[in-house]
Amino acid sequence: MTQSAPSSSDTRPPRRPGPPGSPWAAGGTMFAGVLLFVDGVLDVFKGIAGIASDDVYARVRNYTFKFDVTAWGWIHLALGIVLMIVGLGILRGAGWARFVGVVLAALNIVANFIWLPYQPVWAIVSIAIDTFVIWALCTSRTRPVV
């Protein structure tokens, strides 16, 4: 049994350095896709609850951004379905999904901020999720491997 040191004629390609940017963000891109999908599921549940019964959410009086709860239900249902589709697109590595994910997460932050008086806990959780999603998708510099 003999062991030999690697020769200088070793033809292995040189190691490519990792992607620039934060390693948290690089690993966070996949997690952002999962979170965007989960946030979409939460929005679908919010939408179904608002459409099914007006008694589920608190009644808010004299609120500047007051909408009918059923209208909010339809807004959250539609936004949730689109968020789920974009989340799956991010998980599959689609190039379009990163930009659309950032835009939709920002839109969802605004919608949940306006929704805050109706369900503060759900709205704050969604805002926190969307904030992480935007950070992860904007700071990751991962490129497809060719």
Side-chain angles (χ1 to χ4, degrees):
M1 193 185 286
T2 61
Q3 293 181 352
S4 63
S7 67
S8 61
S9 64
D10 195 3
T11 59
R12 283 189 242 161
R15 285 186 80 178
R16 286 183 19 193
S22 168
W24 282 86
T29 302
M30 180 171 278
F31 190 52
V34 171
L35 283 180
L36 205 59
F37 182 82
V38 168
D39 203 21
V41 171
L42 288 175
D43 270 4
V44 167
F45 287 149
K46 285 184 229 179
I48 291 171
I51 293 167
S53 174
D54 280 348
D55 301 335
V56 174
Y57 296 116
R59 297 281 180 207
V60 178
R61 297 176 196 264
N62 300 326
Y63 180 51
T64 304
F65 304 110
K66 185 176 181 182
F67 285 100
D68 179 44
V69 176
T70 305
W72 271 117
W74 283 108
I75 291 169
H76 282 291
L77 181 65
L79 193 55
I81 291 169
V82 175
L83 285 171
M84 288 170 42
I85 293 168
V86 173
L88 289 175
I90 290 170
L91 289 174
R92 294 189 57 142
W96 60 268
R98 284 177 80 176
F99 174 75
V100 175
V102 170
V103 171
L104 285 177
L107 182 64
N108 203 34
I109 286 175
V110 171
N112 279 292
F113 179 76
I114 295 171
W115 176 251
L116 205 60
Y118 295 97
Q119 280 294 316
V121 175
W122 275 29
I124 290 171
V125 167
S126 287
I127 289 170
I129 289 172
D130 290 326
T131 301
F132 176 80
V133 166
I134 291 171
W135 174 82
L137 294 178
C138 287
T139 58
S140 176
R141 303 281 185 242
T142 56
R143 291 180 185 88
V145 178
V146 181

